[in-house]
Amino acid sequence: MFSQRQLFRYIIGEDESLETTPIFLPTPTPGQTDAEAENPRDQLCYFCDESSQSDDTYMAVAGIAVARKAIPYIIGKMTPIREKYAKIGEVKWKNAKYCGGMVHEGYIRLLFELIDEGRLHFHIRFSRMDEYDHKLSGPRKKLDTVSKSFYQLLLHRPLAYYGKDVDLHVYPDDGSCTRLLPDQIGALHYESGLNCIKTIQPRSSEKEPMLQLLDCTLGALAAYRNGRHLKPEISDTKKRLSELAFELTGWPDITGSCFNKKKLSRWNVIPKYQKSAAGGTSLG
């Protein structure tokens, strides 16, 4: 086995010598308390990002949950995909045209393979942005609406699903929308009644491969939710990838929500405060 320091060095790219070992998401033991457990709590990482907040009808925020010990295994599965197509630099939905989208297709297929293997869980939250009165979100208006979407995702997915049994380490893609999240740990603990978040640390997706793995499927499903795969201006590559991602979910539809689905969760939000037809605000 390797030390936590070795693992950290591996994740940030300073140590490539570690062997990959398949580690599954932790399975809670019913009725077991911390005092009764012989081993320390499992360490669960939650990587999260957003898509389509500016130009589309539906914004999406999504996250992947993965046991910290499984990250070297997953990165080991990602590396051959990049090498096969000589991809250098960040892999993200915006540059999906590279090499006909084959790297991005590889990442999308890998994510669903990892879900099937029990090594990774995926959660996505859609919200129709024109239904929100952004002035009520905070002084940054739309930015605060997006920030609150991340907050709600964290509260109702990783905390609700895993917080009783694991320590959480949250890694959002860095930017204005996630800058305030580290200051919300206390509020998340208060609302959830838990005390499980050890850190919220925004990271650059350019340097974090797990965020790149997330981004490909998130971008594809956001495109599908917004119907971009039906528009003539979308590239053939992105049309193919968005349809592929939706097909791999196995969902009959992308509207509505599927709750209590830890492995693959879809959540279409109805905002609490909605714009009325007259331009005012009403409770939703």
Side-chain angles (χ1 to χ4, degrees):
M1 292 297 292
F2 44 82
S3 68
Q4 290 294 320
R5 179 171 178 79
Q6 282 179 301
L7 177 59
F8 176 74
R9 291 181 62 210
Y10 179 89
I11 293 170
I12 65 175
E14 292 181 358
D15 188 345
E16 298 180 355
S17 64
L18 301 180
E19 294 181 0
T20 57
T21 304
I23 305 292
F24 291 79
L25 281 166
T27 301
T29 302
Q32 185 184 43
T33 66
D34 287 342
E36 295 168 335
E38 294 181 0
N39 298 315
R41 283 160 62 95
D42 286 300
Q43 304 299 301
L44 192 70
C45 296
Y46 198 77
F47 299 88
C48 49
D49 199 358
E50 57 80 22
S51 181
S52 303
Q53 64 160 293
S54 300
D55 301 322
D56 288 306
T57 302
Y58 293 94
M59 181 192 71
V61 293
I64 51 176
V66 55
R68 184 179 290 280
K69 293 179 181 179
I71 291 176
Y73 172 84
I74 294 174
I75 294 176
K77 301 285 280 188
M78 295 167 64
T79 301
I81 300 172
R82 298 173 59 94
E83 291 178 344
K84 181 176 180 179
Y85 299 101
K87 174 59 180 170
I88 299 174
E90 186 174 4
V91 179
K92 60 188 309 180
W93 178 248
K94 287 184 178 179
N95 60 29
K97 291 182 180 180
Y98 174 83
C99 204
M102 296 309 296
V103 176
H104 298 71
E105 178 176 337
Y107 275 25
I108 291 170
R109 290 188 182 277
L110 174 61
L111 184 139
F112 285 98
E113 288 172 10
L114 294 167
I115 292 173
D116 289 341
E117 294 174 3
R119 302 180 193 276
L120 179 149
H121 291 175
F122 175 84
H123 315 127
I124 191 164
R125 178 188 192 273
F126 297 110
S127 51
R128 182 163 179 152
M129 293 298 277
D130 62 2
E131 291 183 343
Y132 286 83
D133 188 338
H134 301 297
K135 296 190 298 294
L136 297 177
S137 293
R140 301 186 304 165
K141 299 180 181 178
K142 193 173 184 179
L143 279 177
D144 283 325
T145 299
V146 179
S147 181
K148 288 185 175 183
S149 296
F150 276 100
Y151 180 95
Q152 292 297 321
L153 176 73
L154 296 179
L155 179 64
H156 295 288
R157 290 302 178 262
L159 270 83
Y161 285 172
Y162 318 108
K164 291 181 180 179
D165 305 293
V166 305
D167 289 336
L168 282 170
H169 304 264
V170 180
Y171 302 110
D173 189 17
D174 61 1
S176 300
C177 299
T178 59
R179 179 172 54 84
L180 302 181
L181 286 177
D183 298 328
Q184 301 301 314
I185 293 177
L188 286 164
H189 284 167
Y190 177 79
E191 283 206 66
S192 66
L194 301 168
N195 187 26
C196 58
I197 301 176
K198 298 305 177 183
T199 185
I200 298 180
Q201 181 189 89
R203 288 186 173 181
S204 167
S205 59
E206 186 177 357
K207 298 179 180 179
E208 176 50 71
M210 298 299 294
L211 285 171
Q212 296 178 38
L213 179 67
L214 167 64
D215 184 86
C216 293
T217 296
L218 166 58
L221 290 177
Y224 194 94
R225 182 68 180 94
N226 283 289
R228 274 189 266 132
H229 63 296
L230 302 174
K231 297 179 180 179
E233 60 268 26
I234 193 173
S235 69
D236 290 341
T237 296
K238 286 193 170 183
K239 173 182 171 65
R240 173 173 58 82
L241 294 175
S242 60
E243 291 176 341
L244 171 67
F246 176 70
E247 177 186 348
L248 291 174
T249 65
W251 294 332
D253 194 358
I254 202 165
T255 63
S257 302
C258 49
F259 296 107
N260 299 320
K261 301 289 186 181
K262 288 186 179 182
K263 289 178 61 175
L264 184 60
S265 168
R266 181 184 74 256
W267 179 13
N268 278 275
V269 177
I270 299 174
K272 183 177 180 181
Y273 293 96
Q274 295 180 290
K275 289 182 179 178
S276 69
T281 302
S282 62
L283 270 173

